[in-house]
Amino acid sequence: MDLEKSPLALPFPDMPAIDGVTLRVARAGYKNWDRADLTYAELAEGTALAGVFTRNVCCSSEVEIGREQVKAGRARALVVNAGNSNAFTGYRGREAVEQIMAQVADSLGCDTSEVLVSSTGVIGVPLPKDKARDGIAKVLSESPASWEDAANTIGTTDTFAKGATTAAMLGDTRVVLNGIIKGSGMIAPDMATMLGYIFTDAAVEPAFLQQCLSAANAGTFNCITVDSDTSTSDTVLAFATGKAGNQPLASFDDPGADAFMAAMEDMCRQLAHLVVRDGEGAQKFIGVSVTGAASDDSARRVGLAIANSPLVKTAIAGGDANWGRVVMAVGKAGEPADRDKLGIAFGGIWAARDGLPLPDYDEEPVARHLEGREIDITVDLGLGDGKATVWTCDLTHGYISINADYRS
Amino acid sequence: MDLEKSPLALPFPDMPAIDGVTLRVARAGYKNWDRADLTYAELAEGTALAGVFTRNVCCSSEVEIGREQVKAGRARALVVNAGNSNAFTGYRGREAVEQIMAQVADSLGCDTSEVLVSSTGVIGVPLPKDKARDGIAKVLSESPASWEDAANTIGTTDTFAKGATTAAMLGDTRVVLNGIIKGSGMIAPDMATMLGYIFTDAAVEPAFLQQCLSAANAGTFNCITVDSDTSTSDTVLAFATGKAGNQPLASFDDPGADAFMAAMEDMCRQLAHLVVRDGEGAQKFIGVSVTGAASDDSARRVGLAIANSPLVKTAIAGGDANWGRVVMAVGKAGEPADRDKLGIAFGGIWAARDGLPLPDYDEEPVARHLEGREIDITVDLGLGDGKATVWTCDLTHGYISINADYRS
């Protein structure tokens, strides 16, 4: 299946090298693709590790093992297999992961707990051990690859390579954060998974790196949805090599910690938005801002009820300022809401306030806003101070074509 | 927008008269439709009333008032407006409902609390009072209409008239239940709402009628989903005229109560299935049975996670036995599940057992099953005795066409 590049794609940014990170790619041949499908990142000794994972209880062995590795907090290498998610494969799948960990640990002279593995692709087929073994042997002898190579290699049916870069001043030390990511919910038949990797040369203690990643995750990756379907393998990992030479960050009391946290949040938001921009069949990028909720959590749940509503998403696809469907989605969220206090705006123009359509509401500028690629929906619940923004894409014929017309 | 008749449509059944129920239809002109849009049912004095309503907190005045009327438990008339849901219309919407109640109560010499009103159609436009007044005056003088007329008149963009009939022996007395229903989630742009009406000549005390309806509702209307979007106006009402002359039923200890409950459940299941058969763009009717869950409630939630998954629904649309997507949906449901105990079958043929794909799994008969109109998915969680069945339809280009291509 040849997918057209998303109309919401962004160009791949110029990403600087990160001291302590070496990337390599190779072709293991998990699928009959004519391109690299195995990504390897070698990390300097002492690199700190943090991670957040899917909450899907049918998760892969990679995710189960990764959760334990993150507790230890140190990484020397990352391996990403594309074309086979190795999920729902039981002990055979687990053996394949353990073999990769042992092979890489052996070559680096490190502990297997420091070798992270992710896999993405078909569910239910154990990762072939022979292909993995030969692929790892090959990738270890490859010359270094670029960030764009790596971003392309971790992809499955992604329509563009996704990367982001940002920086922060920690006192006098400038640190860089680079990230690559793949996926868009479950972008294509049998191809599950969002996988994201963030690399920085900053010196950060593992526990604090985890704290920053978890905090940034809440308002970014946990606030995007393409189709409400949670993959069995979603993973975001952060690696801090410490090569920038700053005083290691261990808590928010340390100088520069706030700047680092802000950079981490910026990085996660950029990567999360890139996933939505490659959503299945996406033609429009939609931001849903909810204010006046009982709490921030409540605002987020109302936002997700709107962003997951097939009727809201098809209305936006059709350029239809159908605020009745937004009312419906607010009402079904199961969160505190009062019909008679509700306000709804598209592109900053209020269509309804205090539970009533505005008499002088002019649909003309709203219709123009909905013709664009970037759509803003604002809902004010008029109850409290809770607020949140979530992001999604529209629901189009492209989604059906990708997921129904193609047979696995 | 002209919609083709659903390929899953059933012919309208032969429905007997029900003593104590007289139907009439007329054209109020809420929309520029060239057909009747106002349905009126006159009910014998002493008719018992029960009802279940949407849990959407942005519900219509009709629903708010209906909830109160059901507590009183008596009805003399039902009015259904089609083409305007009167939802999110504030005090002006409420005034229109109260005017209709007063006008009908005046003509029948009954209390306004005994006049039930439902409306379905566009959200956010107050029901025009003048059209309602003239429409009610007209309908009161019409000659009686058939069940099929009434089923057609309560519809909005439904593609076929939906009715069901069943009977029960209460000791020596045969009682009849007739039902009509409209909707399929939110079947078309701005056209919300499932509305269902059940009429019986049985003598049933209101509290017990409510008990039967609520119990039947749990395993029928609450177990169907088309697109996970809960309407602001969903309503199912039951009316018992008592004209069959049986000893009035007041509890499950009364002779015939079990037979009546079974008939009520049969009726609700028939009507619920008819709604799914008219789901937006539906090409296939899908039953999802979950067994081995921690509880019946847990089984239902797992079933709904599968039935609401866009990726499962598009896989079925494409005739793809993609059990990896079923695994994913089980895992995201947030219910107790153990990946290594999971079994999945299509059309009774197991594809996976105990968390592993079956080595001798033959996709051939499964592929044939998926080519049909009626699809069965069975998931065994292997944990406990909880079980449930939910029903949905596939997700096709037709859904997108109905909801995105058409502009309101």
Side-chain angles (χ1 to χ4, degrees), chain A residues 103-398:
Chain A
Q103 190 177 357
V104 172
D106 199 42
S107 121
L108 291 177
C110 70
D111 196 88
T112 55
S113 72
E114 295 175 291
V115 180
L116 282 289
V117 182
S118 307
S119 303
T120 173
V122 62
I123 292 176
V125 179
L127 193 75
K129 285 193 209 173
D130 50 342
K131 289 187 178 171
R133 184 184 302 113
D134 296 350
I136 294 289
K138 219 188 294 181
V139 84
L140 289 171
S141 62
E142 286 288 342
S143 29
S146 69
W147 290 100
E148 188 165 5
D149 285 342
N152 272 315
T153 304
I154 65 173
T156 49
T157 52
D158 300 59
T159 77
F160 64 98
K162 304 177 192 73
T165 184
T166 188
M169 291 303 296
L170 310 188
D172 292 337
T173 313
R174 183 174 191 275
V175 302
V176 175
L177 289 84
N178 279 358
I180 56 174
I181 196 159
K182 63 87 47 179
S184 60
M186 295 181 79
I187 192 175
D190 292 327
M191 301 289 171
T193 313
M194 180 189 81
L195 299 179
Y197 306 101
I198 298 165
F199 301 86
T200 177
D201 53 2
V204 190
E205 289 300 327
F208 185 62
L209 186 64
Q210 183 66 46
Q211 204 181 331
C212 291
L213 179 63
S214 296
N217 178 56
T220 57
F221 297 114
N222 279 354
C223 284
I224 61 170
T225 178
V226 168
D227 54 12
S228 80
D229 276 343
T230 309
S231 153
T232 48
S233 312
D234 290 338
T235 296
V236 177
L237 299 176
F239 304 97
T241 67
K243 294 291 181 187
N246 59 292
Q247 188 68 26
L249 300 176
S251 84
F252 280 115
D253 298 333
D254 293 334
D258 289 342
F260 181 76
M261 177 67 219
M264 177 65 90
E265 187 132 28
D266 176 36
M267 169 57 59
C268 290
R269 183 174 298 109
Q270 286 191 57
L271 294 177
H273 285 194
L274 286 169
V275 171
V276 173
R277 285 179 176 276
D278 208 2
E280 302 104 321
Q283 295 290 317
K284 289 167 197 287
F285 180 89
I286 307 171
V288 180
S289 298
V290 178
T291 58
S295 69
D296 287 355
D297 262 1
S298 180
R300 179 176 157 269
R301 283 191 287 265
V302 170
L304 285 174
I306 298 166
N308 278 327
S309 162
L311 288 170
V312 170
K313 290 156 80 92
T314 48
I316 300 299
D320 180 6
N322 196 320
W323 52 267
R325 295 188 186 179
V326 178
V327 172
M328 174 280 300
V330 170
K332 79 165 184 168
E335 293 297 317
D338 180 341
R339 186 191 59 192
D340 297 334
K341 290 182 175 163
L342 200 56
I344 295 166
F346 294 93
I349 299 155
W350 293 93
R353 280 272 207 195
D354 299 324
L356 280 175
L358 290 187
D360 58 351
Y361 167 56
D362 181 7
E363 207 176 288
E364 183 67 31
V366 171
R368 265 202 310 279
H369 174 71
L370 292 182
E371 280 168 16
R373 290 284 184 199
E374 320 260 330
I375 310 298
D376 288 312
I377 302 176
T378 303
V379 172
D380 186 61
L381 300 179
L383 294 179
D385 294 327
K387 61 183 166 36
T389 301
V390 305
W391 298 275
T392 189
C393 54
D394 54 344
L395 174 56
T396 70
H397 283 288

Side-chain angles (χ1 to χ4, degrees), chain B residues 287-357:
Chain B
V288 180
S289 297
V290 178
T291 58
S295 69
D296 288 355
D297 262 2
S298 179
R300 178 176 158 269
R301 282 190 289 265
V302 170
L304 286 174
I306 298 166
N308 278 326
S309 161
L311 287 171
V312 171
K313 292 155 80 90
T314 48
I316 300 299
D320 179 6
N322 196 321
W323 53 265
R325 295 187 185 178
V326 179
V327 172
M328 174 278 302
V330 170
K332 77 165 185 170
E335 293 297 318
D338 179 341
R339 186 192 57 191
D340 297 333
K341 291 183 175 163
L342 199 58
I344 295 166
F346 294 93
I349 299 154
W350 293 93
R353 280 272 206 196
D354 299 324
L356 281 175

Side-chain angles (χ1 to χ4, degrees), chain A residues 55-61 64 88-92 123-124 186 188-190 227-232 280 308-312 314-315 317-320 322-325 327-332 335 337 339-340 342 344 352 355-357 367 395-408, chain B residues 55-61 64 88-92 123-124 186 188-190 227-232 280 308-312 314-315 317-320 322-325 327-332 335 337 339-340 342 344 352 355-357 367 395-408:
Chain A
R55 277 181 280 206
N56 192 306
V57 299
C58 294
C59 65
S60 64
S61 294
E64 286 176 337
F88 205 64
T89 55
Y91 68 93
R92 282 175 290 177
I123 292 176
M186 295 181 79
D190 292 327
D227 54 12
S228 80
D229 276 343
T230 309
S231 153
T232 48
E280 302 104 321
N308 278 327
S309 162
L311 288 170
V312 170
T314 48
D320 180 6
N322 196 320
W323 52 267
R325 295 188 186 179
V327 172
M328 174 280 300
V330 170
K332 79 165 184 168
E335 293 297 317
R339 186 191 59 192
D340 297 334
L342 200 56
I344 295 166
L356 280 175
L395 174 56
T396 70
H397 283 288
Y399 183 90
I400 307 292
S401 295
I402 293 168
N403 288 302
D405 299 352
Y406 171 87
R407 304 259 314 246
S408 63
Chain B
R55 278 180 279 206
N56 192 306
V57 300
C58 293
C59 66
S60 65
S61 293
E64 285 176 338
F88 206 65
T89 54
Y91 69 92
R92 281 175 291 176
I123 292 175
M186 296 180 76
D190 292 326
D227 55 9
S228 80
D229 275 344
T230 309
S231 152
T232 49
E280 303 104 320
N308 278 326
S309 161
L311 287 171
V312 171
T314 48
D320 179 6
N322 196 321
W323 53 265
R325 295 187 185 178
V327 172
M328 174 278 302
V330 170
K332 77 165 185 170
E335 293 297 318
R339 186 192 57 191
D340 297 333
L342 199 58
I344 295 166
L356 281 175
L395 175 56
T396 69
H397 283 290
Y399 183 90
I400 307 292
S401 296
I402 293 168
N403 288 301
D405 300 351
Y406 172 86
R407 302 261 314 246
S408 65

Side-chain angles (χ1 to χ4, degrees), chain B residues 152-240:
Chain B
N152 272 314
T153 305
I154 66 172
T156 49
T157 52
D158 299 59
T159 77
F160 65 98
K162 303 176 194 71
T165 183
T166 189
M169 289 305 296
L170 311 187
D172 292 339
T173 314
R174 184 175 190 274
V175 302
V176 175
L177 288 84
N178 279 358
I180 56 174
I181 196 157
K182 63 88 45 179
S184 62
M186 296 180 76
I187 193 173
D190 292 326
M191 300 291 173
T193 311
M194 179 188 83
L195 298 179
Y197 306 101
I198 298 165
F199 301 86
T200 177
D201 52 2
V204 190
E205 289 300 328
F208 185 62
L209 186 64
Q210 183 66 45
Q211 203 180 333
C212 291
L213 179 63
S214 296
N217 178 56
T220 57
F221 297 114
N222 279 355
C223 284
I224 62 170
T225 178
V226 169
D227 55 9
S228 80
D229 275 344
T230 309
S231 152
T232 49
S233 311
D234 290 337
T235 297
V236 177
L237 299 175
F239 305 96

